Structures are given as C-alpha cells and as structure tokens.
Amino acid sequence: MTNERNSEQVTIIGARLIKDKYTSKLGDQVWAFYEQVAVAALDVQDFTLADLCIDKLKTRFTEKSLRFRRLLGMRLEALGQFDEAQEIYDTILQEDDTNMLASKRQIALLKARNKEQEMIDALTKYLDTYYDDHEAWLELCDVYLSKHLYDQAAYCCEELVLLQPSNHISYLKYAEILYTLNHLPLAFKHYCKVLDLCIDNVRALYGLQLCASKLLTSTQVNHVSDLHALATERLLHVYKKEPAESMKQLIQEYLSK
C-alpha cells in the first residue's frame, strides 16, 4: 500500500486482500496495512470493513493504544459524532502532546466545526512542535485571511517562503497579501520573484502591473516604468492566444488606462 490518499481504490484492494487471506503473508507490516485500510474505509463510509480492521488493531495493541484510539476518533467523526471524537483527540494529546496524527485530526475537526479561534490556537501549538509542516502554515494563513488578519497571514507566508523557496505559489500569496496591506514596494518585489520562477503567470503579471501603476512616481523602486511596460506587454501577449475577441478588447482597454 502507498501513502497516496486514494480511499476508494485502497478500500477495494484492501477488502480483496483480506478476503483472500493475503494478510498472513505481510508479517509485521499487516498492522500498517489494517490501519491504512481502516482510514480509507472510513473515508468511503464502509463501516463493516473499517470495524474489521479496527478490531484487529484493538486485539493487537489493546484499547489503551493511542493508535487504536485515534482510529476510534476517526470512526466517530465519520459517524458525525464530533463531540465524542474531539474528546478522544483531547485525551490523546493530554497523554502525548506531540502526537502528530492526533493533532492533525483535532485541527481538521475544529475546521469542520467552524471553530476558527480554537483552530488557530491548535495550529499555533502544532507548529511550535512541527515547524517544517508547510501545509499547516498554509492552513493557518488561510484561517487568518478568512478573519481579515492580514499581518498574521503575511507572517505565515514568510515562513512558507523560507520552507519552500522555489514554490512560486507561496510568493504569489505573499505578494497579494502585501498588496492588500498597501506594502507596494515589497509586493512589487515578490510579484517579480513569482515571474522569475513562473514566466507569464497571469495573476503575477496583473499584480506587477497594478503595483507598478501605483509606483510610477515613486523613487522607492527602480525600473518601475520598464516593468510596468513589460507586464502590460506580456499580458497582451497572453490574451492574444485567447479566441474571444471581446475578452482581448476588454483587457486592452483596461491595460491602456
């Protein structure tokens, strides 16, 4: 089995292997197999298969096992029993506050229940331990954006840029937040970085064009006029490939202002 989240396929293959008694050939890997199949089965609401796998793990690791209890929490989640699931994750984290998988389930559950402030607190605590989890930084950034906390969202993007310096999406998100905060010179710089990593990225070209149009009379940034002209030229070039004449005309009129 792989770590790919393809629950339907994992469930079908897992059920077939269990039915054909192939699990006896897996040795100690059988427990990881049961765990992955249980998670996949819960994803597709196959509670019969999920319960079979969870019972196998319960027999092997007992009810005290954090591994078993996390799966029990996920089963309760799948049944819509969110309060009970939350209680299980809380007790796991009381015993082991560095349990990554339980922390992730707790955060996902808080998100599903729209408990934004509690989710922020949980993500912040999680990132204190697992600083290099870029997905968690991205999740925290999105929560801050939903609450219009742009300075905090910008901080998250700074961490994302440090963790993934070649990912143009992180730079683009950061540039757009900086533009919203009216930090135009810094936004201008990061839009340029996006285009360095991903030529003709339309959102970055628009961002660069907008920043440059507001910085034309500024002495804070060099080559503003040249980059404004370049962004305009590249946008027109991109939209020349579009078949709709009305779209091209609208773009040309906008860029000519």
Side-chain angles (χ1 to χ4, degrees):
M1 310 300 285
T2 72
N3 290 324
E4 182 182 355
R5 190 78 169 210
N6 190 339
S7 299
E8 186 174 352
Q9 186 176 2
V10 170
T11 301
I12 293 170
I13 295 173
R16 179 64 182 272
L17 293 175
I18 292 169
K19 181 181 178 181
D20 292 346
K21 303 188 184 303
Y22 184 80
T23 52
S24 61
K25 301 179 181 180
L26 294 177
D28 288 340
Q29 292 298 315
V30 71
W31 310 115
F33 165 83
Y34 280 132
E35 187 171 7
Q36 188 169 3
V37 173
V39 172
L42 290 172
D43 280 348
V44 299
Q45 302 280 295
D46 186 341
F47 292 104
T48 301
L49 178 59
D51 287 345
L52 186 153
C53 295
I54 291 172
D55 285 344
K56 295 284 187 182
L57 291 164
K58 177 182 175 181
T59 302
R60 171 64 179 83
F61 296 104
T62 77
E63 291 183 6
K64 294 182 180 180
S65 163
L66 300 184
R67 189 175 186 175
F68 164 76
R69 283 155 60 192
R70 179 179 62 85
L71 287 172
L72 191 60
M74 293 177 71
R75 186 182 186 281
L76 291 169
E77 276 190 77
L79 290 168
Q81 299 176 22
F82 297 137
D83 289 334
E84 293 84 350
Q86 186 72 61
E87 186 177 341
I88 287 177
Y89 299 140
D90 288 345
T91 58
I92 291 173
L93 292 170
Q94 285 171 9
E95 293 180 35
D96 178 13
D97 61 0
T98 64
N99 190 301
M100 176 190 284
L101 296 176
S103 292
K104 285 189 169 185
R105 291 315 314 160
Q106 181 193 55
I107 291 164
L109 187 53
L110 291 169
K111 180 180 181 180
R113 302 175 77 187
N114 294 316
K115 294 189 174 184
E116 290 184 335
Q117 188 54 54
E118 291 180 44
M119 182 183 172
I120 288 172
D121 294 340
L123 275 167
T124 302
K125 184 177 180 180
Y126 172 83
L127 286 166
D128 283 342
T129 304
Y130 300 104
Y131 163 79
D132 60 349
D133 189 334
H134 71 276
E135 290 183 354
W137 281 112
L138 185 59
E139 193 74 63
L140 184 56
C141 178
D142 288 340
V143 181
Y144 281 137
L145 287 175
S146 72
K147 295 174 72 68
H148 309 293
L149 298 172
Y150 297 111
D151 286 317
Q152 292 88 332
Y155 175 80
C156 294
C157 282
E158 290 168 5
E159 300 298 332
L160 283 167
V161 166
L162 288 172
L163 289 170
Q164 296 186 316
S166 61
N167 185 344
H168 73 279
I169 299 297
S170 298
Y171 283 100
L172 180 60
K173 199 176 192 74
Y174 188 34
E176 291 174 342
I177 293 170
L178 290 169
Y179 183 85
T180 301
L181 289 167
N182 204 36
H183 299 333
L184 298 180
L186 197 54
F188 185 83
K189 176 181 177 181
H190 283 83
Y191 279 125
C192 287
K193 182 62 178 179
V194 176
L195 294 167
D196 180 48
L197 294 170
C198 184
I199 296 171
D200 284 350
N201 181 289
V202 172
R203 281 174 63 175
L205 286 170
Y206 269 120
L208 185 64
Q209 206 269 351
L210 284 169
C211 279
S213 66
K214 294 185 177 183
L215 291 168
L216 284 172
T217 59
S218 172
T219 58
Q220 294 178 274
V221 182
N222 296 323
H223 310 297
V224 173
S225 180
D226 291 338
L227 288 168
H228 180 269
L230 180 61
T232 302
E233 176 193 335
R234 295 312 302 166
L235 280 168
L236 289 171
H237 173 76
V238 168
Y239 281 100
K240 278 181 182 177
K241 301 174 185 177
E242 295 291 328
E245 288 297 326
S246 58
M247 174 65 77
K248 286 194 291 185
Q249 185 177 350
L250 284 172
I251 297 299
Q252 288 170 349
E253 290 176 1
Y254 167 76
L255 295 173
S256 65
K257 293 179 182 178

